[in-house]
Amino acid sequence: MRALITGITGQDGSYLAELLLEKGYEVFGMVRRASTESFERINHIKDKITLVQGDLLDQLSLISIIEDCKPDEVYNLAAQSFVPTSWTQPVLTGEFDAIGVTKMLEAIRLVNKKIKFYQASSSEMFGKVQEVPQKESTPLYPRSPYGVAKVYGHWITINYKESYGIHASSGILFNHESPRRGLEFVTRKITDGVAQIKLGLAKNLALGNLDSKRDWGFAGDYVQAMWLMLQQDEPDNFVIATGETHSVEDFVRTAFSYVDLDFKEFVTIDPRFVRPAEVDLLLGDPSYAKEKLGWETSVTFKQLVQMMVDADMKRLSK
């Protein structure tokens, strides 16, 4: 089996590449020609995968890659994925996260409609939630340019499935974290901050809204669900979540207490980190994925936080 992963240098892309290599796949990873290329997350498997240059905004490069790599499966994980950036770069976010999906689907339609396609949808599409918990049928109400763009990507995937018979599935993934999470994301900002404070490298940690609630899982578990979706006879959409919600404050408290510190002595609130429109509560119902895919999480919230703190302590201790 041959698979093409866009966004292979990201958190999810690196875990998915590892999984597919374990399953005997030939793995191709699409990377952009960038002035500063970062392969940190895939350095340990770089000699086992084939990197190809392309860009979601360049239709011809996508067609060429599909023709050259001849993948059986395409996992579209590339995106402008940081919600706060979508407020400062809303047009770019729309180009990558909405139009980019269309261009990849067009490439598949033109080259080989038998290719199975996975689209990385997001719980941010639920935004101002219309019901709790959120499931596949919950109405979408995005609250950021990122969420809006992801709704477009989600629906264009359904449209190509229904219009052209492409095996196209969307995973509506709730927040998923790991030691490979980017430092700009709040969870990694917290665990990195905790490690810095514990090691005497920093005195405090500035955060935004501590009341926001999220459904946090381990990224390594979530890429399993992506693969399982493309092994089904029929394409479908699946909510991938833990079914538990925790506030940002819960995450902070768990991380600080793990290294025997009281977060109240170190955390400050900075209005700069509060979103223009907040998503207050995300809680996914993964029962359909459990029933249809046989998928389940293996890492608890507490284990996830501790895993990330351990990794940052180890990294900064060096």
Side-chain angles (χ1 to χ4, degrees), residues 143 186 189-190 206-214 216 246-252 267-281:
R143 294 268 281 174
V186 68
K189 186 180 175 183
I190 293 165
L207 297 170
N209 183 4
L210 297 188
D211 298 324
S212 289
K213 291 184 174 176
R214 294 291 183 271
W216 277 299
H246 296 271
S247 67
V248 175
E249 186 173 310
D250 290 338
F251 199 108
V252 171
V267 172
T268 59
I269 304 301
D270 188 329
R272 287 179 306 156
F273 301 130
V274 177
R275 295 182 186 182
E278 186 55 83
V279 173
D280 299 312
L281 168 65

Side-chain angles (χ1 to χ4, degrees), residues 12-262:
D12 294 8
S14 63
Y15 280 113
L16 179 61
E18 286 175 352
L19 175 72
L20 296 179
L21 287 170
E22 281 170 23
K23 294 185 179 295
Y25 277 65
E26 189 174 350
V27 176
F28 298 86
M30 189 178 93
V31 292
R32 280 190 297 154
R33 175 81 184 86
S35 54
T36 54
E37 294 191 47
S38 172
F39 299 114
E40 181 189 345
R41 296 182 183 95
I42 56 168
N43 271 335
H44 62 297
I45 52 170
K46 217 172 156 195
D47 58 337
K48 297 175 185 168
I49 58 183
T50 305
L51 296 178
V52 290
Q53 282 196 353
D55 196 305
L56 279 181
L57 304 187
D58 182 10
Q59 183 76 73
L60 285 175
S61 72
L62 300 181
I63 291 169
S64 297
I65 287 169
I66 298 284
E67 285 176 338
D68 295 345
C69 299
K70 298 179 174 58
D72 300 289
E73 300 171 354
V74 170
Y75 295 86
N76 186 42
L77 310 184
Q80 189 302 97
S81 61
F82 189 46
V83 177
T85 297
S86 77
W87 294 104
T88 55
Q89 298 182 25
V91 176
L92 180 81
T93 301
E95 286 173 339
F96 275 113
D97 300 6
I99 304 303
V101 185
T102 315
K103 289 183 176 179
M104 181 57 88
L105 285 162
E106 267 295 276
I108 289 171
R109 181 182 74 83
L110 292 167
V111 179
N112 177 10
K113 286 192 282 194
K114 290 192 172 71
I115 293 170
K116 292 182 175 182
F117 178 76
Y118 171 82
Q119 167 60 11
S121 288
S122 166
S123 58
E124 287 284 331
M125 302 190 307
F126 294 122
K128 189 175 180 181
V129 299
Q130 302 300 290
E131 65 177 344
V132 180
Q134 295 88 54
K135 47 186 184 281
E136 291 77 9
S137 58
T138 301
L140 307 176
Y141 194 139
R143 294 268 281 174
S144 65
Y146 170 79
V148 172
K150 279 291 185 181
V151 170
Y152 180 105
H154 181 73
W155 276 106
I156 202 71
T157 300
I158 293 170
N159 190 257
Y160 270 67
K161 173 180 73 175
E162 295 178 350
S163 303
Y164 303 114
I166 293 171
H167 191 298
S169 293
S170 283
I172 306 172
L173 270 58
F174 280 66
N175 295 61
H176 46 290
E177 318 297 320
S178 75
R180 298 181 194 174
R181 190 55 139 156
L183 280 164
E184 70 273 21
F185 290 88
V186 68
T187 50
R188 186 69 197 292
K189 186 180 175 183
I190 293 165
T191 60
D192 175 71
V194 165
Q196 290 204 40
I197 290 167
K198 183 65 178 177
L199 295 168
L201 303 172
K203 289 187 167 62
N204 56 41
L205 174 63
L207 297 170
N209 183 4
L210 297 188
D211 298 324
S212 289
K213 291 184 174 176
R214 294 291 183 271
D215 184 326
W216 277 299
F218 172 53
D221 287 339
Y222 285 41
V223 299
Q224 295 261 3
M226 299 176 188
W227 177 77
L228 285 166
M229 286 178 217
L230 297 199
Q231 311 319 305
Q232 304 305 303
D233 292 335
E234 297 297 328
D236 210 339
N237 304 323
F238 295 90
V239 162
I240 304 300
T242 67
E244 285 181 22
T245 191
H246 296 271
S247 67
V248 175
E249 186 173 310
D250 290 338
F251 199 108
V252 171
R253 182 184 291 104
T254 304
F256 273 93
S257 65
Y258 182 51
V259 294
D260 300 317
L261 294 175
D262 180 356

